[in-house]
Amino acid sequence: MILGVPKESYPDERRVALIPAFVERVTKRGLEVLVQKDAGAGAGFSDHLYEEKGARIIPSRRELYGSSDVILQVRAAAANPARGAADLRLMKKGSVLIGLLDPYASKEVLHELAQRRISSFAMELIPRITRAQDMDALSSMASISGYRAALMAACALPRMYPMLITAAGTVVPARVFVIGAGVAGLQAIATAHRIGAVVSAYDVRPAVREQVQSLGAKFIEIELDSEGTEKNDGYAKDMGEEFYRRQRELMGRVVAESDVVITTAAVPGKKAPLLISEYMLKGMAPGSVIVDLAAEQGGNCDCTVPGETVTRHGVTVIGPVNLPSTVPYHASQLYSKNITSFLGVVFKEGRVDTECRDEIACESLLTREGRLVHQKVQSALGL
Ligand code: NAI
């Protein structure tokens, strides 16, 4: 079987799905690896490095897709609104696609996948169970986003993070408030704390209190009934607008007293909850910074513009998109580990197992031989 790694075609995407160090893990399984010319260049991996590890470099994108039985990508199908659908048309009928596919985003793209009889596995759908931890691309990428968010805020803030006692005077530490202490939030807390900020955090799931405290941050208690905020799968529930209105009211004082607010609150499959209103910005000191990691899901802040930095009422509001791509070397390394571990589960006896014999394969299988087979996606999209 032939496995192809195309150059990512999403605008400004610098990651690559497979770095040279992981090529041998794939060839050992009996797969031949084709890599599109310059596929790793944006992340710092030259064609020469791939060749040294036994991959073959293919200059033409069309030829790469046309020759491959399995395609490994970072952003494909609906996760690449710019070129995802066009790329699918280059794939061989009956071939297999593995990547971040944004499965809930587009009925049309799902239709295209099915029509071309492509079997596809969405990395976002890999269950968050212990056995699948090394395949969990959502976690590895969220961790990078949290790290970057803390640094972006530090660079935009007209203050320093750490406390300094110098001959020229004392500098008080910056106060950083993180809303949403999932994977990205916890990494933002750890990074801000490491640089010396005084960090506090809040999450609707009370279970994260200890994790926040173990990173040296203060967990903010607010008088909201947190019963039923967490689903069985560990994710937060959609709590409805009245709950969020009350949350905004109760968090107002903490937000106003913070120099930096990093928001990461998300509810899978839903628009992100609105947790910082424009009115709340008026209470913040001029020069304060908000980094809204939920920008791509609609934003946690009223004033967020995805992909842009705006100033409202003296507050800098940053709405970053695709942050993992800004750390392409390590993002590609972690993603390569995720995707090769996943390949280890689905590639059995010389072929890709689309028969759902393994729980991880079964839950992430989106389309198989012309049909959308994922029930949650089916019902969420009313198909
Ligand atoms: P996410 O990206 O869906 O959401 C980020 C955070 O926002 C979550 O912690 C969520 O509780 C919080 N949130 C939602 N609404 C909020 C609100 N109104 N106010 C404040 N915070 C709000 O979540 P992520 O980071 O992907 O992780 C979700 C869960 O998955 C966690 O329980 C985590 O421990 C679990 N997990 C399990 C793994 C495993 O077992 N292998 C791996 C990674 C995560």
Side-chain angles (χ1 to χ4, degrees):
M1 279 195 117
I2 297 182
L3 182 141
V5 181
K7 187 172 166 57
E8 292 295 314
S9 54
Y10 182 75
D12 299 326
E13 180 57 73
R14 292 165 66 198
R15 290 171 291 177
V16 61
L18 191 74
I19 65 167
F22 283 82
V23 168
E24 275 173 355
R25 292 191 189 207
V26 179
T27 52
K28 263 192 210 147
R29 295 181 184 277
L31 284 142
E32 185 186 346
V33 176
L34 307 183
V35 177
Q36 188 184 345
K37 187 171 168 12
D38 290 333
F45 303 103
S46 68
D47 292 344
H48 179 63
L49 288 174
Y50 282 101
E51 282 173 326
E52 272 182 356
K53 298 290 182 185
R56 196 146 57 86
I57 301 298
I58 306 292
S60 144
R61 187 173 189 82
R62 183 172 291 278
E63 187 188 337
L64 178 110
Y65 274 102
S67 314
S68 303
D69 304 299
V70 181
I71 290 285
L72 298 189
Q73 243 177 303
V74 180
R75 295 184 77 132
N80 179 359
R83 273 206 54 98
D87 283 345
L88 296 183
R89 286 177 219 122
L90 300 176
M91 287 182 70
K92 276 205 302 201
K93 275 216 161 104
S95 56
V96 175
L97 173 65
I98 305 175
L100 293 167
L101 309 181
D102 206 352
Y104 294 98
S106 161
K107 287 183 192 175
E108 291 71 30
V109 173
L110 290 175
H111 183 67
E112 184 83 38
L113 277 165
Q115 208 186 20
R116 300 203 61 78
R117 303 188 72 77
I118 294 167
S119 293
S120 57
F121 293 93
M123 296 290 284
E124 297 95 328
L125 297 174
I126 291 176
R128 287 179 129 175
I129 56 175
T130 308
R131 190 163 63 88
Q133 265 179 359
D134 62 351
M135 308 166 206
D136 187 349
L138 287 185
S139 287
S140 59
M141 297 302 115
S143 193
I144 292 176
S145 298
Y147 161 80
R148 285 290 286 156
L151 298 185
M152 282 176 115
C155 292
L157 191 69
R159 296 164 169 262
M160 289 196 282
Y161 268 19
M163 175 171 174
L164 296 179
I165 300 172
T166 77
T170 299
V171 170
V172 295
R175 288 155 302 182
V176 174
F177 180 37
V178 177
I179 305 175
V183 181
L186 289 172
Q187 192 54 247
I189 293 170
T191 306
H193 179 69
R194 239 178 260 138
I195 314 175
V198 172
V199 188
S200 57
Y202 173 73
D203 195 296
V204 276
R205 295 181 298 116
V208 301
R209 180 187 291 104
E210 278 176 27
Q211 294 168 29
V212 167
Q213 289 167 344
S214 74
L215 291 170
K218 179 179 173 195
F219 188 81
I220 298 293
E221 307 284 350
I222 58 176
E223 281 172 29
L224 263 179
D225 182 7
S226 52
E227 185 125 341
T229 49
E230 182 166 345
K231 293 191 289 182
N232 293 341
D233 57 9
Y235 285 111
K237 255 192 205 160
D238 180 7
M239 300 304 292
E241 182 43 34
E242 179 48 29
F243 182 96
Y244 297 133
R245 189 196 58 73
R246 180 97 182 103
Q247 185 179 350
R248 289 193 293 272
E249 204 174 283
L250 293 170
M251 284 190 325
R253 188 185 52 80
V254 190
V255 168
E257 288 172 357
S258 301
D259 303 304
V260 168
V261 179
I262 297 172
T263 68
T264 78
V267 177
K270 304 267 177 194
K271 190 177 173 301
L274 177 63
L275 302 178
I276 302 184
S277 61
E278 182 165 0
Y279 176 76
M280 288 162 82
L281 261 63
K282 291 184 187 166
M284 296 179 80
S288 305
V289 177
I290 294 175
V291 179
D292 188 347
L293 282 190
E296 277 174 284
Q297 290 85 44
N300 290 141
C301 174
D302 231 357
C303 299
T304 298
V305 181
E308 287 185 29
T309 298
V310 296
T311 306
R312 297 281 184 271
H313 310 290
V315 176
T316 305
V317 183
I318 307 175
V321 293
N322 207 13
L323 269 187
S325 173
T326 63
V327 191
Y329 182 93
H330 280 132
S332 303
Q333 177 194 319
L334 299 183
Y335 189 78
S336 297
K337 169 71 180 172
N338 296 146
I339 208 162
T340 50
S341 297
F342 179 71
L343 203 61
V345 166
V346 295
F347 192 69
K348 293 267 154 67
E349 293 150 15
R351 64 186 195 89
V352 175
D353 170 26
T354 55
E355 304 304 318
C356 277
R357 275 178 291 181
D358 183 284
E359 178 194 3
I360 298 172
C362 187
E363 287 200 27
S364 50
L365 183 64
L366 187 61
T367 57
R368 175 176 56 203
E369 294 161 9
R371 285 182 38 237
L372 170 64
V373 292
H374 199 280
Q375 289 193 345
K376 268 196 205 156
V377 174
Q378 259 172 358
S379 51
L381 296 180
L383 294 165

